[in-house]
Amino acid sequence: MTLQIRSLEEYNEVYKQSVAQPEQFWAEQAETFQWHQKWDKVLEWEFDTPDVKWFVGGKLNITENCLDRHLAERGDQTAIIWEPNDPNAPAKTYTYKELHSEVCRFANVLKNNGIKKGDRVCFYLPMVPEMAIAVLACARIGAIHSVVFAGFSASSLADRINDAACKMVLCSDGNFRGKKQIPVKAVVDEAIATCPSIETVIMLKHTGQEVAWNEKTDKNWAEELTKVDNVCPAEIMDSEDTLFILYTSGSTGKPKGVQHSCGGYMVYTTFSFKNVFQYQDGDVYWCTADVGWITGHSYIVYGPLAAGATTVMFEGVPTFPDAGRFWEVCDKHKVNIFYTAPTAIRALMAKGLEYVTPYKLDTLKVLGTVGEPINEEAWHWYDEHIGKKNCPIVDTWWQTETGGIMISPLANITPLKPTFATLPLPGIQPVLVNAEGEEIEGNDVEGYLCIKFPWPSMIRTTWGDHERCRNVYFNRFKGKYFTGDGCRRDEDGMYRIIGRVDDVIIVSGHNLGTAEIENGINQHARVVESAVVGFPHKIKGNAVYAYIICDGDIDDVDALKKEIIGTVSKEVGPIAKPDKIQFVPGLPKTRSGKIMRRILRKIAGGDRDTSNMGDISTLLNPEIVASVIEGAEAV
Ligand code: WT7
């Protein structure tokens, strides 16, 4: 079985060894998996192109490691517990045997509908067990999944489908979210009107709401299942074959298709899952993320299943039927390990303790957070009221691009420090660099966070545009992977993530590109130009502040704001809606025409003092700053 570190001494020793002899270290971990053919070489790499290959020449199928290999020993153990949106509807469980069978059946459905190794399949599904089943079914036959969060708009979905030229979309009729029913199939219909590569849409009946039906493309999920059996040998994949694409926001409007490959991703997600959460046989583990994000890929589906764990999938929202839902579900399913986002903790904290005290929460052993820095107050609330001061909180720092957790405590093994992600996992070599790219040595320092050596689950490329991958991650600091985060290393050598240093805003743990939101705003007929920045928000961590130049006079400011918010919601998705909009006569720009977001960020954050804005005399239009500051008062 994959190594599970059990003491601080062991962590120190293993870490040292993993840096001194990374290839030997990762080979030992990879040995614990099932391969059809062993690798010839553990690692080939250079960070200029970049070109990174792990377990070169190795052959495997990740689903045999997530499913088949567990059948003999834990076939009747629960693999997935699904908790529906409606607390009165029954939960559903799948044993490893049942999950294996369902995955093979759906893999045959994919094959029956013309999907072959290397084809791209787009997912636009709510958090139903079929999501996990179909993801694994893709991996079973070597098709590449591209999961799009089912809160994105039709045009965002279409962009992602077109970028990867997906042949198929998997969707549901609708989606339950709290009291609401949200259309899903209708969004897909609108999206694929502009997606020539789509041949088939397979729709799962879930809410029962009415949908339009296209006889040429549309297939009914349940009906397709009646045509197949549950025997499906796994496609033998090369270690470096692509397992999936997952889109993440970037500094241009076009999202990046982050590409992960089979072998390294499997080894690293399993290793990190077992070590960070210290999962023990029989534990019930619940990660509240959506499979539409990397957290769901790595730590609801692949990592836990490859480790033979019992993983909970939750369809609902934290505040339905009330703000006690998470804690009710923890008691109901006797959850031992609970992993969620700081924004959820803050939202529930704001609702008051009366939603927590009715629950025992006595099965919890380990708590986790992910997605953004957690503030001191939320950390202590989580520790005291949920963990009863008895559960370590693992603050896990990582990214879509890193595939797995990079810097985090190992629960009960390594030290905690509130608001710190603390120490790197074995095999991870973080460094801080200054603006010139020079490594900053020693402790009690701050800089740009980079990783200087490859790790198995790292990004391989951005789909269809390798140059973009090089530019964004490997060009700024030669020979290093640049994370886009600012970071502090304190006097004890512990890492604390400060936040993004690029044009990405983390709203409620969701990674949004300023350009993407601006493109959405600019779709409104009256908008001439816009600039968005993040500003601190009590619950969301950051929220979106939009500065907008409109044509002509505005009669009804509030009505126009509403319209623009509607446009963003439609063009990008509800998560990208600005919290604040300020109409401005102009935007501060450099002489080369670049918007000075630094100034806009300060104003959005409440700063009203021109002398804090840095040197504005070099601006193309310095006089605009005072006018933007003046206008900010009324927002
Ligand atoms: C960005 C990556 C990793 C899955 C969810 C987000 C921020 C993530 C932490 C943390 C402080 C964090 C970083 C990072 N972030 N985890 N524990 N502490 N910041 O994945 O959408 O790719 O976003 O989220 O800024 O770069 P993502």
Side-chain angles (χ1 to χ4, degrees):
M1 266 315 216
T2 313
L3 169 70
Q4 192 170 43
I5 294 166
R6 301 297 291 149
S7 70
L8 182 58
E9 298 70 51
E10 191 183 355
Y11 164 79
N12 287 327
E13 216 169 277
V14 169
Y15 186 79
K16 227 187 274 162
Q17 188 228 332
S18 75
V19 171
Q21 290 174 307
E23 299 180 25
Q24 187 190 325
F25 174 75
W26 287 116
E28 277 166 24
Q29 302 318 312
E31 300 273 7
T32 65
F33 293 82
Q34 264 183 18
W35 298 79
H36 281 270
Q37 187 182 305
K38 203 178 154 171
W39 52 91
D40 307 314
K41 205 168 163 202
V42 180
L43 171 65
E44 267 174 24
W45 73 288
E46 48 91 357
F47 275 179
D48 292 324
T49 312
D51 186 10
V52 176
K53 296 190 179 82
W54 280 92
F55 312 115
V56 187
K59 305 278 182 208
L60 78 155
N61 186 291
I62 194 168
T63 71
E64 289 182 317
N65 285 276
C66 290
L67 302 169
D68 305 57
R69 73 166 167 156
H70 299 316
L71 294 183
E73 211 181 306
R74 55 178 94 240
D76 295 320
Q77 180 202 306
T78 302
I80 294 180
I81 300 174
W82 178 69
E83 173 68 20
N85 177 67
D86 176 358
N88 299 314
K92 227 174 173 179
T93 62
Y94 293 79
T95 64
Y96 271 94
K97 252 188 224 153
E98 289 164 342
L99 184 61
H100 176 266
S101 165
E102 291 304 315
V103 168
C104 289
R105 287 175 69 207
F106 200 74
N108 286 332
V109 166
L110 294 172
K111 284 205 268 191
N112 266 354
N113 284 282
I115 299 298
K116 299 180 303 297
K117 178 177 175 182
D119 287 344
R120 275 80 59 207
V121 176
C122 178
F123 286 61
Y124 192 74
L125 275 169
M127 283 287 286
V128 288
E130 287 82 357
M131 167 81 110
I133 290 166
V135 158
L136 293 163
C138 270
R140 186 83 177 170
I141 64 169
I144 297 170
H145 52 82
S146 168
V147 182
V148 177
F149 175 62
F152 276 117
S153 67
S155 74
S156 299
L157 174 61
D159 287 348
R160 288 157 173 78
I161 291 173
N162 286 330
D163 186 70
C166 295
K167 272 172 86 169
M168 179 186 274
V169 186
L170 303 177
C171 69
S172 61
D173 46 359
N175 178 359
F176 296 112
R177 260 189 103 67
K179 274 181 262 171
K180 288 188 276 187
Q181 259 191 43
I182 294 168
V184 173
K185 172 73 161 54
V187 179
V188 171
D189 289 342
E190 189 187 337
I192 65 170
T194 59
C195 300
S197 59
I198 293 294
E199 294 169 5
T200 317
V201 175
I202 302 185
M203 188 198 82
L204 177 75
K205 230 181 172 173
H206 183 53
T207 57
Q209 66 200 78
E210 251 186 70
V211 294
W213 202 254
N214 179 341
E215 290 298 338
K216 269 207 241 121
T217 46
D218 297 350
K219 300 272 174 85
N220 178 313
W221 194 297
E223 208 177 297
E224 290 306 295
L225 280 172
T226 62
K227 303 175 187 167
V228 295
D229 63 19
N230 66 355
V231 181
C232 179
E235 184 79 29
I236 297 178
M237 305 292 284
D238 193 272
S239 175
E240 277 302 326
D241 279 340
T242 300
L243 176 62
F244 66 86
I245 307 167
L246 185 59
Y247 285 87
T248 188
S249 301
S251 49
T252 71
K254 198 171 171 267
K256 300 177 290 238
V258 173
Q259 208 172 305
H260 284 288
S261 51
C262 297
Y265 179 81
M266 170 181 76
V267 172
Y268 194 78
T269 53
T270 313
F271 175 83
S272 52
F273 173 74
K274 287 195 70 164
N275 282 282
V276 169
F277 300 105
Q278 289 290 310
Y279 184 90
Q280 305 300 320
D281 255 355
D283 282 348
V284 174
Y285 160 87
W286 180 17
C287 165
T288 68
D290 192 289
V291 175
W293 312 115
I294 190 70
T295 312
H297 284 60
S298 302
Y299 299 112
I300 293 178
V301 182
Y302 288 113
L305 294 176
T310 299
T311 175
V312 177
M313 259 182 101
F314 176 48
E315 183 190 18
V317 295
T319 49
F320 175 78
D322 62 42
R325 186 69 192 277
F326 273 0
W327 323 128
E328 186 239 331
V329 174
C330 280
D331 278 4
K332 177 177 175 187
H333 294 299
K334 302 190 167 39
V335 171
N336 306 109
I337 304 170
F338 179 74
Y339 188 31
T340 196
T343 185
I345 298 168
R346 287 191 297 265
L348 298 178
M349 183 170 81
K351 298 277 182 189
L353 281 178
E354 63 263 39
Y355 294 102
V356 181
T357 39
Y359 304 102
K360 288 215 214 59
L361 299 176
D362 56 349
T363 51
L364 289 175
K365 297 194 295 191
V366 174
L367 301 176
T369 67
V370 59
E372 57 183 314
I374 182 164
N375 50 308
E376 194 95 26
E377 194 192 355
W379 197 99
H380 288 292
W381 186 86
Y382 198 29
D383 178 41
E384 208 170 299
H385 300 293
I386 307 305
K388 318 288 183 201
K389 293 207 166 258
N390 226 350
C391 305
I393 298 174
V394 291
D395 178 347
T396 64
W397 174 83
W398 57 297
Q399 309 178 295
T400 304
E401 296 85 345
T402 68
I405 298 167
M406 303 287 280
I407 303 182
S408 167
L410 310 185
N412 292 312
I413 307 293
T414 62
L416 305 177
K417 184 162 184 175
T419 78
F420 280 67
T422 72
L423 300 171
L425 263 65
I428 305 305
Q429 301 188 37
V431 287
L432 302 183
V433 301
N434 63 20
E436 283 70 52
E438 294 152 357
E439 218 172 299
I440 304 169
E441 314 255 347
N443 288 339
D444 200 5
V445 290
E446 247 177 64
Y448 297 111
L449 178 63
C450 294
I451 315 289
K452 71 170 178 191
F453 194 84
W455 64 100
S457 64
M458 69 184 291
I459 180 175
R460 296 302 194 271
T461 187
T462 40
W463 182 264
D465 192 352
H466 194 63
E467 181 56 19
R468 188 164 183 204
C469 173
R470 193 182 71 82
N471 248 319
V472 175
Y473 305 106
F474 297 91
N475 197 33
R476 173 104 180 250
F477 303 112
K478 293 283 172 236
K480 296 182 181 71
Y481 166 83
F482 175 43
T483 64
D485 282 324
C487 182
R488 175 176 151 70
R489 185 167 55 225
D490 77 355
E491 52 291 348
D492 305 318
M494 299 254 213
Y495 291 86
R496 180 182 205 278
I497 308 302
I498 297 165
R500 302 293 306 190
V501 294
D502 56 9
D503 293 342
V504 171
I505 312 174
I506 312 263
V507 179
S508 299
H510 296 150
N511 189 325
L512 300 171
T514 52
E516 205 175 353
I517 307 171
E518 286 158 10
N519 290 348
I521 292 173
N522 299 348
Q523 295 302 311
H524 191 280
R526 297 220 35 207
V527 174
V528 176
E529 195 181 2
S530 63
V532 311
V533 296
F535 72 97
H537 185 282
K538 241 187 123 162
I539 305 286
K540 303 178 184 182
N542 293 291
V544 173
Y545 192 118
Y547 297 89
I548 298 176
I549 307 173
C550 274
D551 64 352
D553 293 334
I554 304 166
D555 296 331
D556 187 340
V557 169
D558 288 336
L560 184 56
K561 283 186 182 176
K562 261 207 197 110
E563 271 181 47
I564 292 173
I565 289 169
T567 307
V568 175
S569 189
K570 181 163 185 312
E571 295 293 329
V572 191
I575 49 173
K577 287 195 283 200
D579 266 51
K580 291 188 181 177
I581 291 179
Q582 179 181 349
F583 294 110
V584 291
L587 293 165
K589 286 192 177 169
T590 63
R591 287 180 186 274
S592 61
K594 202 166 184 274
I595 297 169
M596 288 291 279
R597 280 173 215 283
R598 180 171 52 79
I599 294 173
L600 296 177
R601 238 179 258 133
K602 287 217 160 135
I603 300 172
D607 201 327
R608 298 286 178 264
D609 187 348
T610 350
S611 63
N612 289 338
M613 306 290 159
D615 184 8
I616 60 172
S617 64
T618 57
L619 291 183
L620 189 67
N621 49 355
E623 72 289 347
I624 206 73
V625 176
S627 128
V628 174
I629 288 177
E630 205 188 303
E633 275 314 308
V635 174

